[in-house]
Each structure stands twice: as C-alpha cells, then as structure tokens.
Amino acid sequence: MSLLAVCGLETFYGASQALFGVDLDVAEGEVVALMGRNGMGKTTTIRSVLGLTPARGGTVRFAGRDTTAMSPHRIARLGIGLVPEGRRCFPNLTVTENLVAAARPGRWTLGGIERLFPRLAERRGQMARTLSGGEQQMLAIGRALMTNPRLVILDEATEGLAPVIRKDIWAVIRTLKGEGQSILIVDKTLAELLPSADRCFVLEKGRTVWSGRPEALTPELQDRHLGV
Ligand code: ATP
C-alpha cells in the first residue's frame, strides 16, 4: 500500500487553475523525485499534499487516511515533515532551539541530527539567521527530521547552494534512503537526483505526463519534458 497516494489533483489559486490532474504515489521506504520545468506545478502539488492550498478536485491519501480536506496541522501530525523552498527556520532562535522546537518522539533526537550534520553541532549556540545558506538548509532538514515524520518532503533540496554543500546534502539524502526513510524530493540537479530516486514523476502544465524508474527517463524524454 502507498504511504502517499495523490490522484487526479486539481488545485486553484483563486480563479486560476494550477493543477489539472496530478497523480503520484510514494511507497513506504521509497525515494520519489517530483520533476518538471519551472512553473509546472511541483510546489503547488506539495502545498496541496500538505493542505496549505487544498485541492478542489482529486484526492490525497496519506498513511491510510483521506487527507484531501484536512487542515495542514492535522496532516503534519500524521507524519509529514516539510523542508520548504527557501529553508525557513526561526531566525532569532539558536540552532539547538530550532531543532528542539520541532521535536516529536521517535528515532531522531538532537544527538542524531548533530551526528548527521556535524556542522550544526559546531554551531549549536548560533542564531539561525547568522548561518550560511547551506547550514540553514541542513537546519531545515534537521527540523523536518526532528518531527520523526513517516514522509519527508524536500522542495528544491539544493537550490542556490555551493557545490561542496550540495555534495553534503546529497550524501545525507542517500544516508536517509539507506535507513528506509520515505522521501518526496524536488530538485533540478538531475545528475544527483536520478541516482538517488527509486521512481520519478514528471509534471507538465499541472499534469503528470510521465512516471517511471529513473533509468527509463532517457535523454530524449529529459529533453522533451525537462528541457535538459
Ligand atoms: P518552480 O520550479 O518555478 O518552483 P513549480 O513547478 O513548483 O515551479 P508552481 O510554483 O507550483 O510550479 O506553479 C504552478 C503554477 O501556479 C504556475 O503557473 C504559477 O504561476 C502558478 N502559481 C504558483 N503560485 C501561485 C500563487 N500564489 N498565486 C497564483 N498563481 C500561482
């Protein structure tokens, strides 16, 4: 059974329709890549899964429940941890305070996050606003994990980060995958994304137009759907 199952999603911003039929699913322990050119509906899909911009058509099921019309708060409590685009943390809290504020019982504790991200351990007393972009992204991932989610959603996992930091983030994603963490991930660096993913879904103009295993996403398909 799928952990997350999105079927025929239709989402609007006011009168303007952004999603016209998005289908995707994530099985327990799977890493799924959500792909598509700019403006094709990736972030909107994530917002609808989280209940932030509720869908007007179609269904979202998470952990065996119909969450289509649930409040964001209830959906999050069912076990979805979001690493948002722009990596929002509390700027005037320290690294440790940011992590502790997110904590829910489970496998991930402060110590575990500090082992996963030694740079955060070195900066534990620093205000989040004084961190580099890469460190803020590590903190955002740490915060999502501290909720001990069944599913982690990463929107633009490595965008705007220095190459050396990107490498660290991808290594962490592979570690999480190795531990069986379910992940839905959006990122533009296909060279890193494809080897990390078990399956891919490609959106075009608010619809799922292709899905399959990453090795089946041929250069021709990448060119057609992703403009690579
Ligand atoms: P990107 O890679 O640029 O983040 P995306 O694939 O995540 O793109 P979305 O941000 O989901 O795409 O946008 C899908 C469509 O919805 C676009 O046409 C966009 O202009 C529109 N849209 C997004 N946010 C809003 C909003 N707040 N109000 C109105 N339209 C919006």
Side-chain angles (χ1 to χ4, degrees):
M1 198 189 67
S2 300
L3 178 60
L4 173 70
V6 169
C7 186
L9 212 58
E10 293 185 31
T11 301
F12 294 70
Y13 292 104
S16 153
Q17 187 163 4
L19 302 186
F20 295 83
V22 170
D23 302 306
L24 81 97
D25 62 282
V26 182
E28 199 90 54
E30 210 180 17
V31 175
V32 168
L34 180 58
M35 310 169 80
R37 284 189 288 259
N38 288 346
M40 291 301 170
K42 303 177 298 292
T43 297
T44 305
T45 299
I46 290 171
R47 291 186 60 83
S48 290
V49 166
L50 293 163
L52 297 168
T53 307
R56 289 196 207 158
T59 55
V60 182
R61 292 186 67 82
F62 178 70
R65 309 273 292 273
D66 185 336
T67 58
T68 320
M70 259 186 211
S71 71
H73 179 72
R74 282 188 67 203
I75 295 171
R77 287 191 71 89
L78 287 178
I80 302 185
L82 173 69
V83 182
E85 203 175 355
R87 33 190 174 266
R88 284 179 286 276
C89 300
F90 295 116
N92 295 324
L93 294 185
T94 65
V95 167
T96 300
E97 286 166 345
N98 262 282
L99 292 171
V100 169
R104 292 182 63 203
R107 175 233 181 285
W108 287 105
T109 60
L110 193 54
I113 300 298
E114 290 191 342
R115 277 189 293 281
L116 190 65
F117 293 114
R119 288 171 80 110
L120 292 184
E122 289 164 20
R123 286 159 180 71
R124 53 170 82 108
Q126 239 171 274
M127 295 291 176
R129 69 180 141 78
T130 69
L131 300 178
S132 71
E135 289 158 0
Q136 287 187 24
Q137 181 67 336
M138 293 174 188
L139 184 55
I141 295 172
R143 280 177 51 81
L145 291 173
M146 283 293 280
T147 69
N148 281 291
R150 292 182 69 179
L151 175 68
V152 175
I153 300 182
L154 291 127
D155 194 359
E156 301 290 2
T158 66
E159 187 166 72
L161 301 181
V164 51
I165 303 287
R166 283 175 181 231
K167 248 182 85 200
D168 287 352
I169 303 270
W170 285 112
V172 162
I173 289 166
R174 285 190 295 272
T175 299
L176 296 175
K177 177 184 162 104
E179 294 188 2
Q181 173 71 55
S182 311
I183 300 175
L184 178 63
I185 181 169
V186 172
D187 199 87
K188 294 203 175 67
T189 42
L190 296 191
E192 298 280 11
L193 181 60
L194 292 177
S196 305
D198 296 304
R199 279 186 309 138
C200 308
F201 288 83
V202 177
L203 303 188
E204 214 164 273
K205 297 184 182 155
R207 285 185 179 82
T208 301
V209 292
W210 188 88
S211 65
R213 297 188 57 82
E215 57 272 21
L217 192 62
T218 59
E220 190 216 335
L221 285 168
Q222 291 179 26
D223 183 54
R224 187 188 316 160
H225 296 304
L226 305 169
V228 176

